[in-house]
């Protein structure tokens, strides 16, 4: 039985005086038990909508979602018992209460007895490195510490499936590294994890498979290695003071996707073959252009290549 | 049933804990002794010392009701703004039972108002109130407190849904205080208005508390106590249904996290 089984899932949002907005359009996804599944996509792509439907806080317009065999609409209680949820951002804690009191409350909400709560809360605080600050008010915590407390909260019921929606936002590098170790540990323990992130490196490092979502559609589901190969094929070269005839020569090179002028005198060249970057650099240097920089595109630029150009606008 | 009781207990304990660290909340108690002094001065000036119990009971119930309205209006909204409402709905706990438990816990805030009013009457006005039927008084106080929390549950989802919740919240106290006979005996009202007042648990509770202070034997005490609880239970039923409906609508429209 798959941990997550999503079939033809659609979610529409009503807009006052306008057309309905389609946040998810016919999404199909199956995540087997024990898999860490990365969900990548730009803002407004539908990642959070998908997480909310899985976690039962949002009803689908059509289609079905099953968590460990339980339907999120008709068997909500069983789904809630099987799931741990960590939504991104700083919010979600009772700031006047201590870290320990917060976790104790959430453990109670998941039905743990008082005795089990005490043991579980202590164990989780230690696991996320907050045992030394357990009796301090959550409101006094840094963003990264709050995020760690959120993670602990998501784990109070020892869930079979864990939804992590942008879990490392605001974490410092050390905490993010510890978080990754924790995810590996959970996977080794058999927990299924759906992880949404903007960070391709994070997705690649943590996930067994990665799905790319854009405009409410799942564009592809691949192993991180395959996505990594796709990404590494794309590079860009920025240069200043490029004469027009050199630009034309570069545009004609094999593997050059685009040559465009950005911010006045800056020329940005995008390539989709590893050899093409070398050819572009050689052409620039041979033409006497010295102000040159080579870099990898960021995630959003990769989306442009993988899912087609639609500008950087966010749909909603 | 066990799950509901557990959710109630969780909510009650949580709110009591939060109350312990929310020093600002206690400012709502400040008005109770001042109300007592004002009302007691009026009945004394009018030569109606026999109405002194009104001067003690009224401020207490007013504090209770004002606290209920405050928490009913803000509990769900604060959880929503704080990003906790979705997490609560995503958890298996019964949200209406948790909310009712929290509201009952919040009502603990108003209980000291009883003592403050009695002390203010005695220390400032030298009108020491004797509780002639202490057991009945305590039972009634508890029943009124639980029924107030139950009624607040009915209002809580309504306040989240209503576009002008704040106005309703600010307008509601005075009609309720008058109609429930907290300040003026409803027996003085025209018959039809008295009948309206009798639909409110608070009118039964206020009468019974005043009777518990008086030396005379209290008639039909058990039945009247039952009325307080029954009307409170009705409020709870309406509240539970309203909350479930609100959650269903918010999940359908995707507005659980919207503020």
């Amino acid at each position: 039985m798959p941990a997550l089984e999503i079939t033809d899932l659609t979610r529409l949002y009503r807009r006052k005086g306008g057309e309905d907005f389609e946040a998810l359009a016919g999404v199909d996804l199956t995540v087997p038990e024990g898999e860490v599944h990365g969900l990548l996509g730009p803002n407004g792509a539908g990642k959070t909508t998908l997480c909310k439907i899985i976690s039962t806080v949002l009803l689908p317009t059509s289609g079905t979602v099953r968590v460990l065999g339980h339907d999120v609409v008709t068997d909500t209680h069983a789904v809630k018992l099987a799931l741990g949820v960590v939504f991104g951002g700083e919010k979600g804690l009772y700031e006047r209460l201590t870290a320990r009191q917060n976790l104790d409350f959430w453990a109670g909400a998941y039905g743990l007895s008082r005795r089990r709560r005490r043991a579980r809360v202590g164990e989780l605080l230690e696991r996320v490195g907050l045992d030394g600050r357990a009796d301090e008010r959550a409101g006094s915590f840094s963003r990264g510490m709050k995020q760690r407390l959120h993670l602990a909260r998501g784990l109070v019921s020892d869930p079979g499936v864990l939804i992590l929606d942008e879990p490392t936002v605001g974490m410092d590098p050390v905490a993010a590294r510890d978080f990754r170790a924790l995810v590996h540990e959970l996977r080794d323990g058999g927990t299924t994890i759906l992880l949404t992130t903007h960070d391709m490196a994070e997705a690649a490092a943590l996930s067994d498979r990665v799905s790319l979502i854009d405009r409410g559609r799942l564009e592809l589901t691949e192993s991180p290695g395959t996505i990594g190969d796709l990404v590494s094929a794309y590079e860009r070269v920025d240069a200043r003071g490029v004469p027009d005839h050199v630009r034309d020569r570069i545009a004609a090179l094999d593997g050059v996707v685009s040559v465009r002028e950005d911010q006045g005198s800056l020329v940005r060249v995008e390539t989709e073959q590893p050899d093409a970057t070398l050819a572009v650099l050689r052409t620039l240097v041979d033409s006497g252009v010295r102000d040159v920089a080579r870099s990898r595109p960021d995630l959003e630029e990769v989306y442009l290549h993988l899912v087609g150009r639609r500008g950087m606008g966010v749909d909603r | 049933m066990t799950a509901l009781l557990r959710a109630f207990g969780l909510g009650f304990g949580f709110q009591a804990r939060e109350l312990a660290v929310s020093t600002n909340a206690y400012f709502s108690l400040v008005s109770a002794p001042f109300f007592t002094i004002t009302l007691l001065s009026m009945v004394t000036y009018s030569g109606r010392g026999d109405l002194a119990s009104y001067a003690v009971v009224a401020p207490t119930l007013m504090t209770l009701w004002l606290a209920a309205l405050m928490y009913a209006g803000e509990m769900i909204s604060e959880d929503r703004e704080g990003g906790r409402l979705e997490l609560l709905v995503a958890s298996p706990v019964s949200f209406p039972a948790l909310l009712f438990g929290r509201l009952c816990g919040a009502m603990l805030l108003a209980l000291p108002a009883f003592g403050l009013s009695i002390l203010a009457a005695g220390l400032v006005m030298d009108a020491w109130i004797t509780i002639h039927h202490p057991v009945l008084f305590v039972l009634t106080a508890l029943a009124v407190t639980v029924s107030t929390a139950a009624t607040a549950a009915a209002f809580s989802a309504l306040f989240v849904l209503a576009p002008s919740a704040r106005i309703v919240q600010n307008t509601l106290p005075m009609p309720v205080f008058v109609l429930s006979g907290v300040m003026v005996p409803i027996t003085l009202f025209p018959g039809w208005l008295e009948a309206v007042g009798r639909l409110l648990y608070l009118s039964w509770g206020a009468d019974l508390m005043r009777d518990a202070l008086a030396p005379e034997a209290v008639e039909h005490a058990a039945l009247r106590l039952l009325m307080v609880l029954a009307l409170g239970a009705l409020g709870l039923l309406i509240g539970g249904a309203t909350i479930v409906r609100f959650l269903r609508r918010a999940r359908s429209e995707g507005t659980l996290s919207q503020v």
Side-chain angles (χ1 to χ4, degrees), chain A residues 15-309:
Chain A
R15 277 176 171 166
K16 277 183 188 170
E19 283 181 18
D20 288 350
F21 169 70
E22 197 174 39
L24 291 175
V27 171
D28 290 297
L29 178 67
T30 302
V31 179
E33 275 192 72
E35 178 172 287
V36 177
H37 196 98
L39 195 60
L40 279 165
N43 290 333
K47 303 187 298 288
T48 298
T49 298
L50 183 57
C51 288
K52 287 184 176 181
I53 290 175
I54 296 169
S55 50
T56 76
V57 298
L58 184 65
L59 292 170
T61 304
S62 66
T64 58
V65 178
R66 290 181 172 278
V67 179
L68 293 170
H70 305 291
D71 189 281
V72 296
V73 177
T74 58
D75 200 2
T76 313
H77 191 70
V79 172
K80 289 174 175 181
L81 286 171
L83 265 184
V85 183
V86 178
F87 292 133
E90 275 184 87
K91 289 181 166 185
L93 300 169
Y94 288 98
E95 307 240 323
R96 284 193 289 261
L97 299 186
T98 66
R100 192 188 302 280
Q101 287 170 335
N102 264 282
L103 287 186
D104 183 68
F105 170 74
W106 288 107
Y110 278 85
L112 272 70
S113 68
R114 199 175 286 270
R115 222 176 71 186
R116 270 187 69 205
R117 261 148 70 179
R118 200 173 302 133
R120 183 73 180 147
V121 167
E123 177 194 320
L124 284 171
L125 284 166
E126 196 182 334
R127 203 165 180 187
V128 298
L130 288 175
D131 46 336
R133 313 284 296 268
D135 297 311
E136 289 177 31
R137 284 166 69 155
S140 68
F141 284 3
S142 67
R143 194 182 163 98
M145 286 165 71
K146 284 181 181 173
Q147 206 62 10
R148 280 191 269 167
L149 190 54
H150 274 304
L151 273 174
R153 189 191 46 70
L155 294 171
V156 283
S157 62
D158 196 13
V161 179
L162 184 62
I163 307 289
L164 299 172
D165 190 8
E166 305 277 1
T168 52
V169 173
M171 275 190 189
D172 58 62
V174 176
R177 187 196 62 199
D178 291 346
F179 160 75
R180 286 170 192 162
L182 181 63
V183 170
H184 284 303
E185 198 183 301
L186 289 167
R187 182 178 54 185
D188 292 344
T191 307
T192 307
I193 298 173
L194 182 70
L195 166 83
T196 78
T197 179
H198 281 85
D199 186 343
M200 293 201 85
E202 182 173 272
L206 292 174
S207 311
D208 299 309
R209 285 191 306 154
V210 174
S211 288
L212 198 63
I213 189 168
D214 185 61
R215 292 169 138 184
R217 293 174 198 280
L218 273 196
E219 299 294 345
L220 57 93
T221 297
E222 295 286 356
S223 69
T226 309
I227 299 262
D229 290 345
L230 284 168
V231 173
S232 62
Y234 296 104
E235 282 192 308
R236 69 177 174 212
V237 176
D238 290 335
R240 287 183 194 280
V242 183
D244 287 349
H245 69 278
V246 178
R247 284 177 58 174
D248 294 341
R249 273 172 53 205
I250 290 172
L253 290 171
D254 278 349
V256 170
V257 179
S258 70
V259 179
R260 64 178 197 275
E261 205 162 301
D262 270 3
Q263 302 161 22
S265 63
L266 178 77
V267 170
R268 172 160 289 179
V269 182
E270 290 180 330
T271 65
E272 60 179 0
Q273 289 170 15
D275 291 346
T277 306
L278 197 61
V280 171
L281 289 170
R282 189 173 292 134
T283 306
L284 286 168
V285 172
D286 289 349
S287 308
V289 178
R290 295 288 180 268
D291 191 352
V292 180
R294 173 190 158 198
S295 62
R296 290 258 185 241
D298 60 25
L299 182 61
E300 295 207 355
E301 286 170 289
V302 174
Y303 288 132
L304 290 180
H305 292 290
L306 293 180
V307 301
R309 288 191 173 275

Side-chain angles (χ1 to χ4, degrees), chain A residues 11 13 52 55-59 72-73 76-77 80-81 85-87 91-97 101 104-106 108-112 117 137 150 153, chain B residues 6 10-11 14 17-18 21-22 78-93 98 102 248 250-259:
Chain A
R11 171 68 209 195
Y13 285 103
K52 287 184 176 181
S55 50
T56 76
V57 298
L58 184 65
L59 292 170
V72 296
V73 177
T76 313
H77 191 70
K80 289 174 175 181
L81 286 171
V85 183
V86 178
F87 292 133
K91 289 181 166 185
L93 300 169
Y94 288 98
E95 307 240 323
R96 284 193 289 261
L97 299 186
Q101 287 170 335
D104 183 68
F105 170 74
W106 288 107
Y110 278 85
L112 272 70
R117 261 148 70 179
R137 284 166 69 155
H150 274 304
R153 189 191 46 70
Chain B
R6 202 181 313 165
L10 181 73
F14 168 81
R17 211 180 260 179
E18 240 220 358
V21 290
S22 309
E78 279 188 1
D79 275 342
R80 204 181 204 183
E81 284 164 26
R84 297 178 296 262
L85 186 59
E86 282 190 331
L87 296 170
L88 285 169
V89 173
S91 78
V93 74
L98 179 82
R102 286 187 64 187
R248 173 88 198 174
R251 284 172 65 218
S252 169
E253 293 177 357
T255 53
L256 260 185
S257 59
Q258 280 180 13
V259 287

Side-chain angles (χ1 to χ4, degrees), chain B residues 4-250:
Chain B
L4 291 180
L5 285 175
R6 202 181 313 165
F8 174 85
L10 181 73
F12 186 88
F14 168 81
Q15 199 60 40
R17 211 180 260 179
E18 240 220 358
L19 215 54
V21 290
S22 309
T23 40
N24 288 351
Y26 293 95
F27 281 101
S28 60
L29 289 173
V30 170
S31 58
F34 288 97
F35 268 126
T36 302
I37 294 166
T38 308
L39 293 174
L40 207 52
S41 304
M42 287 162 71
V43 296
T44 308
Y45 180 77
S46 316
R48 293 295 306 271
D50 57 311
L51 293 178
S53 59
Y54 279 79
V56 172
V57 170
T60 305
L61 295 180
M62 285 160 75
T63 306
L64 191 68
W65 181 251
L66 288 172
L69 277 186
M70 181 178 79
Y71 281 102
E74 287 170 11
M75 218 167 252
I76 295 181
S77 298
E78 279 188 1
D79 275 342
R80 204 181 204 183
E81 284 164 26
R84 297 178 296 262
L85 186 59
E86 282 190 331
L87 296 170
L88 285 169
V89 173
S91 78
V93 74
S94 159
F95 186 76
L98 179 82
L99 187 76
F100 179 48
R102 286 187 64 187
L103 285 165
C104 280
M107 294 302 99
L108 290 176
L109 170 75
L111 288 180
F114 284 102
L116 287 175
S117 291
I118 288 173
L119 277 177
L123 291 172
V124 181
M125 303 297 290
D126 200 27
W128 291 100
I129 305 288
T130 308
I131 304 176
H132 290 277
H133 305 281
V135 176
L136 180 63
F137 186 84
V138 170
L139 286 176
T140 310
L142 285 175
V144 167
T145 303
V146 172
S147 293
T148 303
T151 310
F155 280 112
S156 58
L158 201 69
F159 284 154
V160 182
L161 293 171
S164 332
R166 189 69 71 178
I167 296 171
V168 180
Q169 209 175 337
N170 290 334
T171 314
L172 215 50
M174 188 50 82
V176 170
F177 294 155
V178 174
L179 283 175
S180 60
V182 164
M183 298 165 85
V184 185
I186 60 172
T187 45
L188 296 177
F189 296 162
W192 66 270
L193 198 56
E194 186 185 345
V196 173
R198 284 288 166 220
L199 295 175
L200 302 174
Y201 76 94
L202 207 51
S203 65
W204 295 86
D207 277 352
L208 202 51
M209 283 178 84
R210 284 190 290 260
D211 286 358
L213 292 174
E216 294 84 14
V218 182
E219 285 180 11
H220 312 299
L223 195 66
R224 291 161 69 189
L225 199 58
L226 206 65
M227 277 306 288
V228 176
L229 289 170
L231 289 170
L234 184 67
L236 188 61
L237 279 178
I238 295 169
T242 316
I243 292 164
V244 168
R245 197 186 153 128
F246 154 69
L247 292 178
R248 173 88 198 174
R249 187 168 132 181

